[in-house]
Amino acid sequence: MSEQKSSQTMEAYPEEGMKSKIKGPVYIDDTTLRDGEQTAGVVFANEEKIHIAKMLSRIGVHQIEVGIPTMGGDEKEAIKQIVDLELPTSILAWNRAVISDIKHSLDCGVDAVAVSISASDIHIENKLRRDRQWVLDSILSAVEFAKDHQLYVSVNAEDASRADPEFLIEFANAAKQSGADRLRYCDTVGILDPLETYKRVKTLIQEVDLPIEMHTHNDFGMATANAIAGLEAGATYVNTTVNGLGERAGNAALEELVMALQYTVGVEMDIQTSLFRDLGEYVALASGRMLPAWKPIVGSNLFVYESEGRASGVIRDPTTYEIFLPGEVGLLRRFSVGKYSGPSVIRRKLREQGYHPSKEEVQKLVPIMRSRSIALKRSLFDNEVVEVYSMLRERRDV
Amino acid sequence: MSRLSNIRLLDTTLRDGEQAVGVIFTPREKRQISSILAAIGIPAVEVGFPALGPEEKACILAVVDAGIMTKDGNPLEVSAFARARREDVKDAADCHVDSVIISISTSDTHIERKFQADQAWVLEQVKEAAEEAEKHNLAFTISAEDASRTELSFLIEFFRLAEEIGAVRVRYCDSLGVEDPYTSYRRIKYIRQETSLPIEVHMHNDFGMATANVMAGIRAGASSVVGSIGGLGERTGNSPIEEVVMALKHLYGMDLGIDTSQFREVAEYVAQASQRAIPIWKAIVGTNVFAHESGIHADGILKNPDSYEAFKPEEVGLERQIVIGKHSGTQSLKHKFLAGFRIELDDETAQELLEKVRSTTVELKRPLFNKELILLYEDTNSKPSKE
C-alpha cells in the first residue's frame, strides 16, 4: 500500500450536506441461496431452498438469486421447483459469462440471470489466464444470447473494486451495449471502505448509463456500510444475504441493510421486518451456523437490559436506548440481573416475579446480587434473584 | 511500505466488553487479557468500572499492580470508567489507575428522560468530576455518551468545557450505533474544526456499521479509537479492534505496529473467558475466513491466493483451507487428491467424481471428510472394471 494511495483515499469524501441522497426506491436482490450457500461448509437441502425462497418472497424482497443451474443435479431441480412456485418475486440464476451456463438457466425457467465475469487484471491474468478483450467478448456473446431469450440480465463485474477504473467503465459500457439491464458492482474481496465506495460508484455512474447493484463483502467488517455508500452514490439495487451468510466473512446482511436504511439513513422500505428473527433462525438452522446472541438486528441479546445505566433509562422511556421497538424485528424486551445491575433492574425483575421490595431492600440487594453474579461468573436466573430476596427478607424477619 | 500512524488504540474488552449481558471476567482473566493486549502492542486498556464495588476494585488493582509493559517497552496505560460524579472518580483514584474516563450523556433524550435534568446540570456534573480528578492528580478523558444523538452546538460547548477543565481528550460515543459513516464523518469533521482536543471515537454495531463509522471518524480527524477484541460489548458490541487495525493497515496503509499474527489467539482467549464462541465467519479472525469451497474461488486461490484474499492468513494467525463440498469444481478436486492422497485424477474421473460429491453433499447437508472422498473415488474407479 503506497504513500500515494493512502493520501489519495484520505482525501476522498462525499460533498457536504447532512441529508441522505438516496431518493429511493431501493431494490433488494437477496442471494442467501447462491452466495450464502457458496460459503465453505454450507449446503441447503432442496426443501430448505424452497422454504427460504418462500420466506424471502413473503417479507418482500424484489428478486431472489436462487443458485447456479450449471451445477446440474439437485441444484437445477431445486431451482425449477422454486420457479414452479410462481412467487410474486423475480427469480434470478447465477451464470458464468458462458452460453452453456445460460442454457441451463433457461432449462429452469427463471426470468432473470446474472452473467458474471471478473473485471480485475489480477483475476483476468491469474485466474482466467486471458486478456481484457476476451472478457469484453465473453460479455457480448453471453448477454446477447440471454437477451435473445427474453431474460432480464445483470452483468456482474466480479472483483470490480480491484479493477482498473478505466477498464471497468469499458466493461460496463460493453454490458450496456450488449443489452444488459443492470451492472453488479462486486467488492469481491471486501477491501473498500464507505467513503472510497461512494467515490468509485459515483464515478462509474457518471460514465455509464446502467442501473447499478451493490454486492459487498464483510472481510473488514464494512459490508453493510459499503452497500449503503453505494446507494448514496446512486446505485439502486443491493445484493444481500440473511444473517450476512456468504463466503469467508460473508455479505451485507439483509436485516442490517433494511433497518439501517430505515433508521439511520431515513429511507422507507416496504419490507415485513417483523419476520426477520424467524427468517434469521431458519437460515441459521439450515446453514448449520448459530445466530450469535449479539448479531445486529436479530441477536437474542439485543433487547436484554442488565446494566443500571441502560435499564434505568429504558424503564423510564424506551426511546432513551432503543431506536426501534423489539417487536419490529420479532424480538422481545427482557431484563436480566448481573454484575452491572443496579436498583432499577433488581426492582423490575422482582416485580415481574410478583414481589414488591422496599427501596431499602433494593439498596441492600444490589451488592449481594453483584457478588453472587461475580462468584458464578454469569447473570442470575430469575429464581436465583427471588431466592436472594427471600433470604434477605427472612433474615430481617428473624 | 506502510507509514507509521499516530492513531492511538484503547481496548475496552474489559469494561464495555464485560458489560455485555452475561459476560463476567475474573481478576485473573482481567490481568491476563491486559497482558496479552500489551504484548501485541495495544498501548492502553479500559479495565473496568470501580464504582461497582469492592470486587471490581480488586479486579482493577490486580491489573494495576501487575505493572504490565507493552511490546514496545512502555508501561501499559490502565484506564477506568466513571460516571461524571465525584464518588465515581474517587473510586477510580483508589485503584491507582493512570487515567479515568469521565462519562455523561449529552443528548436531550437522555438528559430530559433519563436524568430529568438540563444541559447546565450536565456541565456542572462534569466540572465537579474533573475537579475531583485534579485533586487526585488523575489524567482524564471527557466522554459524551449518546454524542451521536446530541445537538452539535451543545456537543461543541461540552467539548470546549472539557478543554477548559484540563481533559486530555474528548470521546465521541455513538452509544446506540445509529450513525452511518457519512454522518460520523461530517459531524466529527465539524467538531474537529471547532474544538482543539484530540478526539476519540467509540462506535457501537447496532446496524452493523461500527468499524465503518470508526474509519469514517479517522478520516474526519479523530486520533484515538476505542475497540474491543471480537467487538465484545453491550448488545451488538463495539468496533472489533482487529478489524480496525487490519483495515487501517490494508485499506489506508497505516501500520499501527500491532503484532497482528496473534489476533486469532487473543480472540480465542477472550472467547473462552467471555464464553462467547467466535463465529467461524467473524471478519479477520473466524476460522472460515480463509476456507474456500466454491470451484471458482478455490481454483483462483490455487492459481494465486491474491485472487480472493486481501491479506495472507498467517498475518492474523489463521490457515488457508480448501473444503470439498457442493460448490467445489474439478480443479479443487484434482488438487485435493494430488496434494492430500497422491492420486492424480484425469478429467473424466474428476467430472464423474464431482457429480457424486455434489449429490452426496446435498444428501448429507455438509462438506465431505477425506475418508468419504476416498470411498467415493474407489466407487467411481471400480465401476468401469466391473462392467
Side-chain angles (χ1 to χ4, degrees):
Chain A
M1 205 82 26
S2 69
E3 183 87 19
Q4 191 199 348
K5 173 160 183 196
S6 63
S7 63
Q8 186 191 356
T9 51
M10 294 303 281
E11 280 164 22
Y13 62 88
E15 52 266 48
E16 294 303 315
M18 293 288 193
K19 278 268 171 260
S20 163
K21 282 177 283 300
I22 304 175
K23 297 282 182 289
V26 172
Y27 299 103
I28 294 178
D29 166 20
D30 188 274
T31 187
T32 306
L33 297 175
R34 201 276 302 169
D35 207 344
E37 196 190 27
Q38 223 167 292
T39 311
V42 174
V43 184
F44 293 128
N46 281 9
E47 205 183 314
E48 289 168 338
K49 284 199 128 178
I50 292 161
H51 188 75
I52 292 169
K54 283 184 189 165
M55 285 180 97
L56 286 168
S57 174
R58 200 166 141 221
I59 72 161
V61 305
H62 306 88
Q63 191 170 58
I64 304 172
E65 186 169 353
V66 286
I68 309 174
T70 191
M71 285 172 61
D74 290 300
E75 177 78 346
K76 215 166 155 179
E77 191 48 43
I79 295 171
K80 278 183 190 161
Q81 289 182 27
I82 292 171
V83 170
D84 288 345
L85 295 172
E86 296 186 1
L87 299 170
T89 312
S90 168
I91 304 295
L92 176 138
W94 190 94
N95 305 267
R96 290 168 298 179
V98 175
I99 288 174
S100 58
D101 276 26
I102 298 167
K103 284 182 177 162
H104 284 290
S105 287
L106 285 168
D107 292 346
C108 297
V110 296
D111 58 280
V113 286
V115 169
S116 187
I117 192 162
S118 293
S120 70
D121 290 331
I122 187 167
H123 275 199
I124 296 170
E125 285 160 21
N126 291 309
K127 192 183 82 170
L128 303 173
R129 304 209 162 132
R130 300 284 184 169
D131 60 19
R132 290 176 174 189
Q133 191 54 49
W134 181 86
V135 168
L136 299 178
D137 294 344
S138 301
I139 294 172
L140 190 73
S141 61
V143 174
E144 279 181 353
F145 179 81
K147 288 313 292 182
D148 283 348
H149 292 82
Q150 285 76 48
L151 290 165
Y152 172 97
V153 179
S154 167
V155 170
N156 296 1
E158 205 197 326
D159 209 21
S161 54
R162 291 193 297 176
D164 169 4
E166 297 282 313
F167 178 64
L168 190 60
I169 290 167
E170 217 178 310
F171 181 107
N173 280 323
K176 165 88 184 164
Q177 279 153 23
S178 49
D181 297 283
R182 73 167 187 244
L183 182 87
R184 181 183 288 178
Y185 184 99
C186 304
D187 181 16
T188 302
V189 194
I191 48 138
L192 294 182
D193 85 332
L195 304 188
E196 186 66 25
T197 304
Y198 178 91
K199 195 179 80 171
R200 298 215 192 167
V201 173
K202 185 137 189 123
T203 309
L204 189 64
I205 286 173
Q206 279 160 358
E207 299 290 332
V208 183
D209 180 26
L210 259 185
I212 304 286
E213 173 181 22
M214 296 305 299
H215 175 93
T216 55
H217 274 277
N218 204 38
D219 295 71
F220 291 95
M222 297 193 273
T224 301
N226 287 343
I228 289 177
L231 296 170
E232 286 281 354
T236 44
Y237 287 79
V238 61
N239 208 204
T240 61
T241 61
V242 176
N243 302 341
L245 186 68
E247 298 221 45
R248 306 184 310 278
N251 295 51
L254 169 68
E255 62 283 358
E256 291 174 14
L257 187 100
V258 169
M259 295 305 275
L261 282 173
Q262 286 194 169
Y263 288 97
T264 76
V265 183
V267 178
E268 277 303 315
M269 299 291 291
D270 188 15
I271 297 283
Q272 298 293 316
T273 61
S274 62
L275 298 173
F276 276 159
R277 171 72 198 180
D278 271 1
L279 179 60
E281 280 183 272
Y282 189 90
V283 171
L285 266 167
S287 61
R289 292 184 156 205
M290 54 106 187
L291 200 51
W294 59 95
K295 169 74 187 66
I297 312 300
V298 291
S300 57
N301 259 2
L302 303 202
F303 293 91
V304 178
Y305 295 89
E306 190 173 285
S307 70
E308 179 62 14
R310 282 169 201 272
S312 64
V314 158
I315 289 168
R316 285 206 181 112
D317 181 348
T319 62
T320 52
Y321 285 100
E322 286 175 5
I323 298 304
F324 53 87
L325 294 172
E328 264 186 73
V329 290
L331 288 170
L332 293 170
R333 188 182 300 129
R334 280 200 300 120
F335 293 86
S336 160
V337 176
K339 174 176 171 181
Y340 283 79
S341 299
S344 309
V345 189
I346 293 168
R347 189 181 310 110
R348 169 75 185 219
K349 182 53 81 184
L350 284 169
R351 281 194 184 160
E352 277 174 15
Q353 300 293 317
Y355 299 91
H356 295 275
S358 68
K359 203 172 175 184
E360 295 71 36
E361 285 175 328
V362 170
Q363 283 305 336
K364 278 188 201 154
L365 284 170
V366 172
I368 305 175
M369 299 285 185
R370 192 165 284 155
S371 300
R372 277 245 147 162
S373 175
I374 290 170
L376 296 169
K377 208 172 163 353
R378 61 167 168 79
S379 315
L380 302 180
F381 288 99
D382 291 357
N383 57 15
E384 290 175 318
V385 175
V386 171
E387 195 185 302
V388 171
Y389 176 59
S390 309
M391 280 163 63
L392 180 83
R393 288 207 68 132
E394 280 158 24
R395 217 175 293 161
R396 196 193 60 181
D397 291 345
V398 167
Chain B
M1 280 267 286
S2 309
R3 65 197 166 87
L4 279 174
S5 126
N6 57 356
I7 300 293
R8 170 185 181 272
L9 295 172
L10 178 137
D11 184 281
T12 190
T13 306
L14 300 175
R15 201 275 302 170
D16 200 327
E18 194 187 34
Q19 253 169 271
V21 171
V23 175
I24 296 174
F25 297 119
T26 65
R28 182 191 295 273
E29 284 167 343
K30 284 210 175 188
R31 200 184 60 216
Q32 193 72 29
I33 291 170
S34 300
S35 301
I36 295 173
L37 290 169
I40 66 168
I42 304 284
V45 290
E46 191 175 330
V47 289
F49 182 21
L52 281 178
E55 287 107 333
E56 178 73 344
K57 281 186 175 173
C59 245
I60 296 170
L61 269 167
V63 178
V64 171
D65 289 346
I68 299 164
M69 304 295 279
T70 70
K71 166 169 93 61
D72 311 303
N74 302 315
L76 175 71
E77 181 182 338
V78 179
S79 204
F81 180 86
R83 289 164 299 184
R85 297 181 184 179
R86 281 187 184 273
E87 57 276 24
D88 276 26
V89 175
K90 168 128 196 346
D91 284 329
D94 290 347
C95 299
H96 310 294
V97 291
D98 300 306
S99 56
V100 61
I101 317 296
I102 297 175
S103 175
I104 193 162
S105 291
T106 49
S107 67
D108 285 343
T109 315
H110 277 195
I111 296 171
E112 286 162 20
R113 301 186 196 170
K114 197 174 101 170
F115 298 137
Q116 285 151 354
D118 58 19
Q119 292 181 341
W121 177 84
V122 167
L123 298 177
E124 198 46 46
Q125 296 297 108
V126 168
K127 270 190 227 164
E128 282 183 24
E131 264 174 37
E132 189 68 24
E134 288 287 347
K135 207 164 90 188
H136 299 282
N137 237 338
L138 256 181
F140 60 95
T141 295
I142 295 290
S143 173
E145 195 193 332
D146 210 18
S148 53
R149 291 197 300 172
T150 303
E151 223 185 303
L152 266 177
S153 56
F154 180 61
L155 205 52
I156 300 284
E157 188 181 343
F158 182 83
F159 287 161
R160 283 185 181 150
L161 173 72
E163 191 185 345
E164 279 167 35
I165 59 181
V168 178
R169 70 180 66 78
V170 291
R171 179 183 288 186
Y172 180 97
C173 303
D174 183 16
S175 303
L176 302 190
V178 294
E179 276 191 348
D180 64 86
Y182 300 98
T183 312
S184 298
Y185 179 86
R186 290 164 186 150
R187 286 171 62 91
I188 291 166
K189 191 165 174 111
Y190 183 72
I191 294 166
R192 185 90 189 96
Q193 282 161 3
E194 297 294 315
T195 63
S196 54
L197 283 179
I199 300 168
E200 176 165 277
V201 284
H202 175 96
M203 305 303 206
H204 274 276
N205 202 37
D206 293 75
F207 292 94
M209 299 196 278
T211 301
N213 288 339
V214 164
M215 302 307 279
I218 290 171
R219 281 188 185 243
S223 54
S224 181
V225 175
V226 184
S228 66
I229 297 295
L232 189 66
E234 292 218 52
R235 305 184 311 282
T236 58
N238 298 287
S239 51
I241 217 159
E242 66 278 8
E243 291 178 11
V244 172
V245 169
M246 293 304 277
L248 281 171
K249 186 170 171 188
H250 288 281
L251 309 191
Y252 294 180
M254 297 163 104
D255 190 341
L256 302 196
I258 304 292
D259 180 4
T260 62
S261 69
Q262 301 299 309
F263 272 157
R264 171 71 199 176
E265 218 178 303
V266 179
E268 279 182 44
Y269 187 88
V270 171
Q272 287 283 338
S274 60
Q275 293 162 5
R276 289 189 162 201
I278 307 167
I280 58 176
W281 61 94
K282 170 71 189 67
I284 311 297
V285 292
T287 50
N288 232 28
V289 169
F290 291 94
H292 306 278
E293 175 187 304
S294 83
I296 293 168
H297 283 211
D299 181 35
I301 287 288
L302 291 171
K303 286 177 181 155
N304 179 355
D306 290 347
S307 312
Y308 287 100
E309 290 171 1
F311 54 87
K312 303 217 174 316
E314 306 83 73
E315 238 185 275
V316 290
L318 287 170
E319 282 173 13
R320 185 177 302 125
Q321 313 162 50
I322 301 289
V323 176
I324 300 296
K326 176 178 171 183
H327 293 80
S328 297
T330 48
Q331 290 309 319
S332 34
L333 263 188
K334 281 182 176 174
H335 171 83
K336 179 80 188 179
F337 273 77
L338 192 61
F341 320 130
R342 295 176 183 281
I343 296 172
E344 203 166 330
L345 300 178
D346 59 44
D347 289 347
E348 204 183 323
T349 316
Q351 190 54 46
E352 203 180 324
L353 191 55
L354 184 66
E355 276 159 34
K356 286 195 174 136
V357 164
R358 281 186 182 154
S359 58
T360 313
T361 52
V362 173
E363 189 192 320
L364 299 173
K365 255 182 76 56
R366 59 165 170 78
L368 301 181
F369 292 104
N370 287 352
K371 196 130 204 173
E372 293 170 317
L373 284 174
I374 292 287
L375 284 171
L376 280 184
Y377 170 75
E378 284 172 355
D379 194 26
T380 310
N381 234 19
S382 61
K383 230 193 266 162
S385 56
K386 271 182 195 163
E387 280 164 6

